[in-house]
Amino acid sequence: MSDVMKIYLTEDAPAAHWGSADVTFTTGQANIHLQAGDQLRQVQQAARKLRGQGINEVALEGELWDLHTQWAFAQGFATAKQIGKIAWTGDDAVKKVLDDRRDSAAFARQLINETPENLAPMTLANQAAQWLTKVGGDKVSYRIIEGEALLEEKWIGIHSVGRGSERPPALLELDYNPLGEDAPVSAALVGKGITFDSGGYSIKASEGMLGMKCDMGGAATVTAALGLAIKSGLNKRIKLFLCCAENLISGRAYKLGDILTYKNGVSVEVVNTDAEGRLVLADGLQAACETGAPLVIDAATLTGAAVMAVGTSYNAIFSPSRELISRTQEKASAVAEQVWPLPLEPWHKEMCPSAYADTANSRPVKGGGAGGASNAAGFLWRFVSDDTQWLHMDLASAFADTANGLWAAGATAHGVLTIAELLQD
């Protein structure tokens, strides 16, 4: 048998001796039998089964493959240990799109699946900057604000969350500018880059902490999305802000009851040190709005409440703009990703009250209480300019703690394509 398995799609039922099998085999060939219903899901599930049988290299052949089915197969075929080798089918344009997607998603997966020991905050910032420089060449410039220098520029949230670690926190500011020095910024991206989240003094249980290397999934997602958009010919000026820190416990760590006063004057009482993502994003959102960009998008593995609300097959989205919500749904649908809007109203800004500050960073109850994902979005809204269109993506489906029928354990890169599409508008 050849080391390369040929994979065909067919709408024919399997031969009787295969029973109700959705994948059948002949010498050197596998057939995925499509049925009525969600065929992309069927293809991704079939790819997981094939990979589970030790098949590491395939060639997609036959007339039924299109861009979406091939990408669904690639998603199911990838694992944390190895992306796997896939020979695409179709014309050169389709193959280029798939290659660009695979390269960008692989970068995000590699970052998210990396061990916390190997991915310090400065390492995350540097690797993101270096990869985007490789993709964008001399159109990319950046600087990294590290450690105590964050206080000098009043980025209080990133510094406070990261000061408990021996490895300093950092803010990456990156500029992709293909248009010239004075070009306006069309959009700004903000990513949560918590390279490990112990919960701080509001410490997580061991089982909840195990997967927290994924808590920089927002940073990886927006970086990969920008890289994919550049590979696809993006001709707009975009700025990227990654808010990088480790949330650890030490004599220097921030504490419950602390009050942080942000650059925009908003004071925040810390009632839960495990609600740290919104504290670092508050800095990133202010930096993004300072660019004057009309569109700001942030992505974060922010709340367990979003997972409870939409499950692990969707990313939750929030925005004060109904038009932006609709556009995001359209863009996600166009690339066969899943998003679902959750409520966000002005009164959500007031859902984390404090007797000592303008707001608290959560509610002092388990999981932040009812409506936790919307309350977190309401908190973030305090740090967005009134004249900015803003989209918050809570990445409920960015990481699989354990393997399932669609995904191998680890990073999924789900959300990268949607954000890349939004940048192309």
Side-chain angles (χ1 to χ4, degrees):
M1 182 183 294
S2 169
D3 290 338
V4 180
M5 176 72 73
K6 296 179 180 179
I7 312 295
Y8 289 83
L9 295 182
T10 178
E11 294 177 341
D12 296 334
H17 67 275
W18 285 102
S20 60
D22 53 0
V23 181
T24 62
F25 297 89
T26 57
T27 303
Q29 175 180 323
N31 304 297
I32 300 173
H33 297 268
L34 300 176
Q35 302 176 15
D38 189 340
Q39 294 189 340
L40 295 181
R41 192 176 181 89
Q42 294 171 40
V43 170
Q44 187 167 338
Q45 289 172 330
R48 285 287 300 125
K49 292 178 181 178
L50 290 166
R51 195 59 186 277
Q53 296 184 31
I55 297 169
N56 297 318
E57 187 170 355
V58 299
L60 308 182
E61 299 195 3
E63 297 180 356
L64 293 185
W65 290 104
D66 61 15
L67 176 64
H68 294 321
T69 51
Q70 290 187 80
W71 185 242
F73 186 94
Q75 295 289 74
F77 202 62
T79 71
K81 294 180 179 179
Q82 186 186 55
I83 299 299
K85 295 181 179 180
I86 303 173
W88 312 114
T89 187
D91 61 28
D92 289 344
V94 168
K95 290 179 181 178
K96 181 185 184 304
V97 170
L98 290 165
D99 281 339
D100 290 346
R101 288 184 178 184
R102 179 169 55 185
D103 291 347
S104 301
F107 174 77
R109 284 194 173 98
Q110 179 270 321
L111 276 184
I112 295 170
N113 291 332
E114 185 58 272
T115 67
E117 180 62 25
N118 290 340
L119 197 70
M122 277 294 294
T123 307
L124 171 59
N126 275 307
Q127 288 192 13
Q130 289 165 14
W131 183 72
L132 285 172
T133 299
K134 180 180 177 181
V135 173
D138 61 5
K139 298 178 179 66
V140 172
S141 60
Y142 67 91
R143 71 177 183 131
I144 299 174
I145 309 166
E146 177 185 4
E148 297 305 305
L150 290 162
L151 287 181
E152 297 172 13
E153 302 199 29
K154 299 184 180 179
W155 301 130
I156 186 73
I158 299 170
H159 180 272
S160 295
V161 171
R163 77 187 193 206
S165 172
E166 294 180 358
R167 305 195 289 187
L171 173 64
L172 169 65
E173 297 183 355
L174 184 139
D175 186 2
Y176 170 70
N177 185 5
L179 301 176
E181 183 175 349
D182 296 325
V185 178
S186 293
L189 301 174
V190 181
K192 175 186 171 184
I194 302 297
T195 55
F196 185 72
D197 182 17
S198 71
Y201 281 107
S202 304
I203 192 168
K204 294 178 182 288
S206 180
E207 61 272 17
M209 204 186 299
L210 179 60
M212 282 299 102
K213 61 184 177 183
C214 82
D215 216 17
M216 36 61 63
T221 297
V222 293
T223 302
L226 177 54
L228 177 57
I230 295 170
K231 287 172 178 284
S232 303
L234 181 68
N235 195 36
K236 297 179 179 180
R237 188 177 185 185
I238 308 293
K239 289 205 171 186
L240 173 81
F241 299 89
L242 302 188
C243 310
C244 307
E246 285 183 313
N247 186 22
L248 300 182
I249 298 171
S250 75
R252 297 188 68 247
Y254 79 128
K255 307 167 192 69
L256 285 86
D258 283 352
I259 293 179
L260 312 181
T261 301
Y262 279 85
K263 195 173 185 178
N264 65 351
V266 173
S267 60
V268 177
E269 181 190 5
V270 177
V271 302
N272 185 346
T273 61
D274 196 22
E276 85 298 329
R278 64 201 72 180
L279 296 177
V280 302
L281 287 175
D283 283 337
L285 287 168
Q286 289 176 92
C289 290
E290 286 179 0
T291 70
L295 173 64
V296 170
I297 301 170
D298 79 78
T301 50
L302 199 63
T303 66
V307 179
M308 295 300 292
V310 302
T312 57
S313 293
Y314 290 81
N315 288 320
I317 55 173
F318 305 79
S319 179
S321 168
R322 306 292 186 192
E323 184 275 330
L324 183 54
I325 287 288
S326 296
R327 180 152 47 101
T328 303
Q329 291 175 299
E330 291 170 4
K331 295 297 184 182
S333 178
V335 293
E337 288 191 335
Q338 306 289 337
V339 298
W340 197 264
L342 291 181
L344 180 61
E345 300 293 344
W347 50 263
H348 280 111
K349 295 180 183 180
E350 311 301 329
M351 291 303 290
C352 297
S354 167
Y356 305 99
D358 296 329
T359 184
N361 70 323
S362 185
R363 298 178 70 89
V365 295
K366 183 177 176 59
S374 293
N375 296 342
F379 175 91
L380 294 178
W381 195 356
R382 289 175 173 269
F383 302 92
V384 177
S385 301
D386 292 339
D387 57 351
T388 302
Q389 272 209 320
W390 165 58
L391 177 74
H392 166 52
M393 185 176 288
D394 199 329
L395 297 170
S397 66
F399 188 83
D401 284 318
T402 57
N404 57 46
L406 288 173
W407 304 100
T412 66
H414 192 201
V416 169
L417 305 191
T418 299
I419 296 173
E421 285 292 302
L422 284 166
L423 293 180
Q424 297 286 4
D425 266 4

